[in-house]
Amino acid sequence: MKINKLELKNYRNIEYMELLPCDGVNIIYGENAQGKTNILESIFLFTGLKSFRSSKDSEFVSFGKEFSKINVDFSTALRDQTAEIKISDRRRAVLNGVTLASPTALMSKFPASLFSPGFMTLIQNGPTERRKFIDSAICQIKPKYALLLSEYNKLLKQRNAVLKDSENYKDTKLFLDCINEAFSNLGEEIYKERKIYLDGILPFVTEIYEGLSSGKEEISFSYIRKGDKTGKYLFSEIIKSHETADISAKMTLTGPHRDDIDININGVSARSFGSQGQKRSAAIALKLAEAEVIKNFIGEQPVILLDDVMSELDAKRQDYILNHIKDRQVFITCCEPGSILRMSEGKTFNIKDGRLL
Ligand SMILES: Nc1ncnc2c1ncn2[C@@H]1O[C@H](COP(=O)(O)OP(=O)(O)O)[C@@H](O)[C@H]1O
Ligand SMILES: [Mg+2]
């Protein structure tokens, strides 16, 4: 997939911008706080996923303005397409002239893979970030997965509400029995999708990480199911065996909302023992691998968005990344484009105060 034109109106600190990228590497450079990340964020919104920076749509609208509008012309293997996102209090999306019921309907129509420094939390923080990573990744290739998640979360909310408020053991049991089957089925389905995804992404992550570390290190990961370290049991069995514990804890202690992914480098936990460079490389490998999986799954090369990624890597790693992504459209932001420019052909955009110079 290629973006041919991006047009922004009242988007954060950008009053108006028209960007005509090339098919290869596009470098967006400038000092801090000029609007580089804002450009990548605006592109990312067309994936139909939530922004990596704000959860409130209204934050995208320039201070003091009523709405913002982003338009993109892009080509996929089949045809040229257009999409528009209009934001006021919330987002509305139009694809090829047709207004979509919800911006989430864009999922898998406009594939993109983004790395931002905040993504390091994937390795550093608790399991929430890792679940978010895998869930968004699957949503991009299987939009139905988003539905599955939201149905599971709805039931989870009800289940937790009953566990929290009920003083009456019998009533609680009765309610749990009532929703157990549906809840277990949804949870099991999510688990299966996540496993399929991890199995699919593993060979790419391994290869990319090996390349980034010049063959010196090895990455591996495994899915950790809360309440079942063996991975042998069905969710219906896990949830049943934790029922008494759930009732006394007044919340649901097991399920996909509590699972985790263990990421190891050379056999030890990257989170506990990894150096900054190793964590960064692991996060990058996961993101670049995500792009490979998207490509294999939907047959379309995703646009790659790399926010502030190059500056902290040595020349060898930068070189590996640029080589790895050379046949795709990439947007890279940085303060100093020198080293990237030397290594790649492509187009540069200098941005200052939300304007292209
Ligand atoms: N809704 C908004 N309206 C106007 N300016 C905004 C809005 N949201 C963020 N900004 C401004 O955008 C700038 C940051 O842009 P960003 O793309 O993160 O910079 P960088 O070039 O460092 O990546 C900041 O100056 C911030 O105040
Ligand atoms: Mg930035």
Side-chain angles (χ1 to χ4, degrees):
M1 189 187 90
K2 302 270 156 61
I3 294 176
N4 304 316
K5 184 168 116 180
L6 175 75
E7 214 181 341
L8 306 175
K9 266 190 209 128
N10 299 336
Y11 189 83
R12 294 201 185 263
N13 72 333
I14 300 164
E15 197 182 329
Y16 180 80
M17 181 181 291
E18 186 185 85
L19 193 90
L20 299 167
C22 72
D23 290 354
V25 177
N26 294 279
I27 297 166
I28 300 166
Y29 71 100
E31 290 168 8
N32 290 333
Q34 302 305 310
K36 304 183 293 293
T37 305
N38 292 343
I39 297 176
L40 295 199
E41 180 190 45
S42 74
I43 297 174
F44 187 74
L45 290 187
F46 286 100
T47 59
L49 296 166
K50 283 208 175 99
S51 163
F52 52 103
R53 293 214 295 192
S54 294
S55 52
K56 273 206 219 108
D57 287 351
S58 56
E59 291 178 7
F60 305 132
V61 181
S62 304
F63 301 143
K65 301 285 188 206
E66 294 282 301
F67 68 90
S68 68
K69 199 160 84 90
I70 328 165
N71 287 79
V72 69
D73 294 354
F74 63 107
S75 316
T76 50
L78 294 176
R79 58 185 175 139
D80 291 342
Q81 307 196 52
T82 61
E84 176 179 291
I85 292 179
K86 241 181 137 171
I87 309 149
S88 49
D89 51 334
R90 61 188 184 90
R91 266 187 261 178
R92 270 165 269 255
V94 180
L95 181 64
N96 300 316
V98 179
T99 304
L100 304 176
S102 147
T104 53
L106 283 167
M107 278 177 197
S108 87
K109 307 280 190 237
F110 184 97
S113 194
L114 169 124
F115 176 87
S116 84
F119 197 66
M120 285 284 286
T121 54
L122 174 74
I123 315 288
Q124 260 155 2
N125 289 19
T128 314
E129 299 299 326
R130 287 181 286 281
R131 288 192 297 263
K132 225 193 290 172
F133 161 74
I134 191 165
D135 288 341
S136 327
I138 304 173
C139 280
Q140 281 217 66
I141 53 176
K142 292 183 183 170
K144 279 204 183 117
Y145 182 76
L147 208 68
L148 195 64
L149 275 179
S150 88
E151 280 175 19
Y152 175 82
N153 286 328
K154 237 189 273 167
L155 274 191
L156 175 67
K157 227 168 140 185
Q158 287 178 17
R159 197 176 190 273
N160 282 338
V162 168
L163 285 168
K164 187 163 171 250
D165 288 336
S166 172
E167 295 299 325
N168 179 335
Y169 183 81
K170 225 173 109 196
D171 283 355
T172 311
K173 273 288 282 171
L174 205 67
F175 174 79
L176 294 186
D177 287 346
C178 229
I179 66 158
N180 248 348
E181 194 182 333
F183 189 63
S184 310
N185 287 345
L186 290 166
E188 191 65 27
E189 199 72 12
I190 291 171
Y191 169 66
K192 274 191 200 145
E193 291 294 349
R194 286 182 180 171
K195 280 285 287 174
I196 293 172
Y197 188 79
L198 281 188
D199 290 344
I201 200 174
L202 183 63
F204 297 114
V205 180
T206 319
E207 188 198 318
I208 297 167
Y209 192 87
E210 201 190 322
L212 274 171
S213 67
S214 306
K216 290 195 195 98
E217 295 160 15
E218 199 181 76
I219 192 168
S220 62
F221 46 74
S222 50
Y223 191 88
I224 306 295
R225 218 168 173 190
K226 190 78 189 289
D228 171 29
K229 290 219 162 63
T230 65
K232 274 198 315 220
Y233 296 97
L234 289 172
F235 184 45
S236 55
E237 295 165 326
I238 300 173
I239 199 86
K240 237 8 266 151
S241 68
H242 282 76
E243 203 167 88
T244 318
D246 281 1
I247 292 173
S248 56
K250 292 182 175 289
M251 63 170 140
T252 308
L253 298 169
T254 58
H257 65 290
R258 299 294 291 266
D259 293 350
D260 196 3
I261 302 159
D262 243 1
I263 301 172
N264 295 318
I265 294 167
N266 289 343
V268 293
S269 158
R271 183 183 177 196
S272 313
F273 303 108
S275 73
Q276 203 61 11
Q278 287 176 320
K279 287 179 188 163
R280 175 165 284 265
S281 302
I284 294 170
L286 276 165
K287 273 292 160 180
L288 293 179
E290 175 192 271
E292 302 286 350
V293 174
I294 294 175
K295 185 187 85 189
N296 279 3
F297 208 90
I298 62 177
E300 200 63 61
Q301 190 74 256
V303 168
I304 309 236
L305 309 168
L306 300 175
D307 192 22
D308 263 336
V309 65
M310 295 303 195
S311 53
E312 296 191 29
L313 293 175
D314 59 41
K316 252 190 184 159
R317 288 182 193 230
Q318 285 189 356
D319 201 23
Y320 176 82
I321 293 179
L322 289 169
N323 269 319
H324 187 83
I325 55 187
K326 68 172 183 288
D327 305 322
R328 316 161 197 196
Q329 191 179 43
V330 191
F331 294 81
I332 300 177
T333 67
C334 59
C335 294
E336 210 355 276
S339 59
I340 308 173
L341 273 179
R342 274 197 301 281
M343 281 187 247
S344 67
E345 293 165 22
K347 219 167 160 179
T348 55
F349 301 90
N350 187 357
I351 177 167
K352 193 170 166 51
D353 271 337
R355 277 192 204 94
L356 294 178
L357 296 181

